[in-house]
Amino acid sequence: TGTGIAPFRAFLHRLFMEDTVARHMFGGTAWLVLGVPTSGGLLYKEEIDAMMKNSGPGQLKVDYAISREMTNPFDGGKLYVQHVMQQNAQELFQRLDSGASCYFCGLKGMMPPILDTLEQVAASQGLDWNAKLKEWKANHQWHVEVY
């Protein structure tokens, strides 16, 4: 339906396509992890590709999780968003600990496996997941809009 990608499309368009103050002042990295069942479900791919071309070095990172076409490196099963996050967990946690914000939009069924995966990652790093998540939420860095 596109409701999961819609807010990110707008954020990224503002940062990388429009001639705005936000675009000129942006010095960070926007990281999109987009999950869909098949590559035919990749909405706005051409726009995302154009944003990649318009972004400065290291400003836009895009990872796809195409579950029916890609396999995860952990058990060879389908690749979902949580697997991409698990593969990049050290960077994700480091970015959040440095003040980055994390947004989730889409189907509510995606959140339990994402949270379970991140809890396992936190435990493997000797972190208290509940305390870490509470900290990020208190700092307004963790945003979930699912339906």
Side-chain angles (χ1 to χ4, degrees), residues 20 24 30 43 45 70 79 87 99 103 109 123-124 143 145 147:
T20 62
H24 296 288
L43 300 176
K45 174 122 175 46
M70 300 169 88
L79 181 71
Q87 285 178 284
Y103 295 83
S124 74
H143 311 274
E145 295 292 333
Y147 60 96

Side-chain angles (χ1 to χ4, degrees), residues 92-102 135-136 139-141:
L92 175 64
F93 280 46
Q94 181 182 25
R95 287 183 181 278
L96 284 163
D97 284 340
S98 296
S101 293
C102 193
E135 173 189 331
W136 293 334
N139 290 339
H140 306 285
Q141 295 173 259

